Amino acid sequence: MRVCVIGTGYVGLVTGVCLAHIGHQVICVDNNQEKVALMQSGKSPIYEPGLSEIMQSAMTAGKLEFTTNINNAIANSQILFIAVGTPVLPTGESDTRYVEAVARSIGLAINGKYKVIVNKSTVPIGSGDWVRQIINSEIEQRNLDQAPQFDVVSNPEFLREGSAIYDTFNPDRIVLGGNSKQAIDLMQQLYQPIVDRAIPPIDSLAELSNQTIPVVVTDLSSAETIKYAANSFLATKISFVNELANICDRVGADITQVAQGIGLDSRIGSKFLQAGIGWGGSCFPKDVSALVHTADDYGYDAELLKATVEVNTNQRLLAVEKLQQVLKILKGKTIGLLGLTFKPNTDDLRDAPAINIIQELKRLGAKVKAYDPLIQSAQHHPVLSTINLEKTPETLVEDCDALVLVTDWQEFQSWDYIQLAKLMNTPIIIDGRNYLNLDTMTAAGFHYIGIGRPTASNSFVTKRLQKNNTITVSNQVA
Ligand code: NAD
């Protein structure tokens, strides 16, 4: 089938590349010329495991191309995906201006045979009808003899950054929302190779499961709601376990044991039960906020979702609070961050907890250093120009008074912490993801502090801290 994907970010590019890989003829459109030039040269503008490999092979096979010419791409395709960003506005609602601009472009260029317009972007409930209306109003102004025929389908995306290719070929479900049988039938045809597991092999991809992929067909607004409901549930589950971790911290229980104990209950499940310094990224914060806003529009106060957000906002600064508990004064101290991205295997810094932690540490007068395997230059985010970005574990920890593990990148498991401890002023680590082994870190000489876990103090560090704090107190008295 001939497919056009408009917007080549984390979702659009992955969708386009994967559809080309299963044999469709795909044209990806973006209004960012630099990005398009990069993709035309066979390079991916984003980091996603396996993406470059299948992108290049689909291009070589003549199945995938990139353009800034939206009119030609629309005119020559049967299925048109809208996959542009829907960031959050200061009011909490979704900024739908990019979706609107694309819908207008479709209305201006649509012609020929029947087309399906697919809302892949996460859009406020009711947007399917809104997109149809915008396209129709543009068509009307063209005074055509025969109006082009089309339907709008909602096809929310559930991929996880960092495993986006695997998730696209191995989805838990495919959701198709719409009122037209013709459109839903075409969408089912589009995804049939994925449902049938007829996917040409990819070297770098983990083996796909053999489980049946359910296709859930709904009306438009239910499909739109499913996306918000899924992300809000997952965010709430994390906020729940984080709240529990804070209680564990106070009563002396260990959240990792508690999570294991409750996660084995099949009604609860063990996924998304890892306590830490909170959720972030480009989806959870804006999607929960958009659902709260929608509820508000309809006179409903979504109290549980508001609490989910509030718990998360506080959780992000828990690492700073723990630093204050152990180091007391942060002014003049040097703190090293392990990881910056909101989760491993992505270069995405959108709404990452690291940003809030950096801002708070700077506000309190600390010097901040950071090491992230993928973020090596300040151009990724303005706040990075206020810190030292380090390229090795040794330069990161050198002269640090404490470390904070912000992202659970796998390479942090294999660092030589015995050597690193020796390079620090005080070998203290706040493990914001409960990712490192408490006993190993203690044996390496660290004073290890997790989230919701009892702390095994290292006597050497404790003595050094006591000495430093005594000096501080006596200075103050003097
Ligand atoms: P993104 O910001 O990474 O990419 C959006 C792309 O659209 C950019 O390349 C931009 O240049 C392009 N664009 C904007 N306006 C355009 C226009 N008029 N014409 C052509 N191109 C245009 O966004 P993303 O992370 O891929 O997210 C896209 C949508 O998918 C959002 O609604 C998001 O909520 C949803 N979503 C994202 C994820 C995720 O993990 N990132 C997962 C599920 C759903």
Side-chain angles (χ1 to χ4, degrees):
M1 298 169 89
R2 297 190 76 86
V3 180
C4 163
V5 181
I6 306 166
T8 57
Y10 289 85
V11 165
L13 181 57
V14 169
T15 302
V17 165
C18 290
L19 290 174
H21 185 71
I22 56 172
H24 297 298
Q25 193 63 44
V26 179
I27 182 154
C28 289
V29 185
D30 207 288
N31 59 0
N32 181 329
Q33 288 191 354
E34 249 177 71
K35 226 176 179 180
V36 170
L38 192 71
M39 293 184 290
Q40 283 170 336
S41 74
K43 293 192 183 114
S44 165
I46 55 164
Y47 174 78
E48 193 59 56
L51 178 61
S52 295
E53 178 194 333
I54 54 171
M55 179 174 154
Q56 281 156 13
S57 76
M59 287 172 83
T60 310
K63 290 287 180 190
L64 177 67
E65 55 184 318
F66 299 95
T67 183
T68 52
N69 188 334
I70 193 166
N71 291 348
N72 280 354
I74 291 170
N76 295 323
S77 305
Q78 184 179 20
I79 313 256
L80 310 174
F81 277 91
I82 304 177
V84 292
T86 46
V88 67
L89 287 169
T91 53
E93 61 198 310
S94 264
D95 183 350
T96 51
R97 82 179 97 154
Y98 307 106
V99 175
E100 181 176 350
V102 173
R104 291 206 184 284
S105 302
I106 294 174
L108 287 170
I110 191 170
N111 63 358
K113 281 193 190 157
Y114 173 80
K115 295 186 198 298
V116 182
I117 318 299
V118 189
N119 267 345
K120 186 61 124 176
S121 296
T122 303
V123 282
I125 301 159
S127 294
D129 291 333
W130 172 71
V131 162
R132 181 190 300 124
Q133 193 181 59
I134 294 169
I135 297 173
N136 273 330
S137 74
E138 292 299 333
I139 291 173
E140 273 165 31
Q141 292 190 26
R142 288 163 63 194
N143 292 320
L144 301 169
D145 291 340
Q146 209 177 359
Q149 296 301 299
F150 72 95
D151 279 304
V152 178
V153 165
S154 166
N155 172 216
E157 182 53 64
F158 303 101
L159 63 75
R160 297 162 300 172
E161 285 178 23
S163 54
I165 302 288
Y166 179 85
D167 291 348
T168 303
F169 289 134
N170 207 46
D172 290 334
R173 76 298 206 189
I174 293 171
V175 174
L176 301 174
N179 312 321
S180 147
K181 184 175 179 316
Q182 186 179 7
I184 298 289
D185 285 349
L186 281 169
M187 289 303 291
Q188 284 187 314
Q189 210 178 311
L190 181 81
Y191 284 125
Q192 206 56 45
I194 294 179
V195 173
D196 291 342
R197 308 271 182 198
I199 296 156
I202 303 162
D203 289 345
S204 59
L205 202 66
E207 209 172 305
L208 300 175
S209 119
N210 277 328
Q211 278 186 347
T212 309
I213 300 170
V215 178
V216 182
V217 177
T218 70
D219 57 75
L220 262 175
S221 45
S222 297
E224 291 163 349
T225 310
I226 286 170
K227 175 63 197 174
Y228 284 111
N231 275 356
S232 297
F233 179 83
L234 295 173
T236 303
K237 196 172 176 188
I238 302 173
S239 279
F240 170 80
V241 79
N242 284 340
E243 180 147 280
L244 218 53
N246 296 340
I247 296 171
C248 285
D249 254 341
R250 284 158 178 82
V251 300
D254 184 335
I255 190 64
T256 59
Q257 296 177 25
V258 174
Q260 189 189 12
I262 60 172
L264 286 169
D265 184 326
S266 59
R267 295 168 301 176
I268 296 174
S270 58
K271 289 184 180 162
F272 283 72
L273 270 191
Q274 285 73 40
I277 50 172
W279 39 271
S282 66
C283 290
F284 283 10
K286 81 174 175 62
D287 291 352
V288 181
S289 159
L291 191 54
V292 168
H293 196 275
T294 299
D296 216 34
D297 277 349
Y298 286 80
Y300 181 75
D301 188 14
E303 287 181 81
L304 176 63
L305 296 180
K306 285 182 180 169
T308 291
V309 175
E310 199 180 324
V311 168
N312 195 54
T313 306
N314 297 335
Q315 200 72 12
R316 285 178 170 208
L317 295 182
L318 189 63
V320 178
E321 208 179 297
K322 285 180 181 278
L323 284 172
Q324 284 178 317
Q325 281 164 9
V326 68
L327 288 172
K328 308 300 175 199
I329 293 163
L330 296 183
K331 202 178 185 73
K333 299 278 185 351
T334 302
I335 311 298
L337 305 184
L338 278 71
L340 288 165
T341 52
F342 79 98
K343 65 173 180 178
N345 298 321
T346 178
D347 56 357
D348 200 344
L349 271 178
R350 287 179 284 186
D351 218 340
I355 306 300
N356 301 82
I357 294 172
I358 291 170
Q359 285 165 336
E360 186 64 0
L361 286 173
K362 296 299 291 182
R363 191 184 72 78
L364 292 168
K367 176 180 172 184
V368 182
K369 300 163 92 180
Y371 168 89
D372 186 285
L374 287 184
I375 307 294
Q376 306 262 316
S377 92
Q379 73 194 27
H380 289 269
H381 195 284
V383 86
L384 299 182
S385 61
T386 66
I387 68 169
N388 293 19
L389 280 173
E390 303 295 343
K391 295 207 162 36
T392 68
E394 290 75 19
T395 55
L396 172 74
V397 307
E398 202 172 19
D399 297 330
C400 273
D401 295 288
L403 303 176
V404 179
L405 187 145
V406 177
T407 316
D408 41 351
W409 282 101
Q410 200 177 356
E411 72 165 80
F412 297 153
Q413 295 272 8
S414 54
W415 280 12
D416 182 349
Y417 288 100
I418 297 175
Q419 288 308 315
L420 295 179
K422 293 176 187 155
L423 300 173
M424 295 179 66
N425 286 343
T426 38
I428 295 164
I429 185 157
I430 313 289
D431 185 351
R433 300 290 174 191
N434 287 343
Y435 188 57
L436 302 173
N437 184 287
L438 185 151
D439 295 330
T440 313
M441 293 305 289
T442 307
F446 271 87
H447 179 65
Y448 174 93
I449 301 167
I451 307 291
R453 309 177 76 182
T455 296
S457 291
N458 176 292
S459 59
F460 166 72
V461 185
T462 311
K463 270 184 213 149
R464 283 275 289 273
L465 279 168
Q466 277 165 355
K467 198 173 143 220
N468 287 347
N469 290 339
T470 314
I471 292 166
T472 311
V473 171
S474 60
N475 280 350
Q476 279 172 351
V477 172

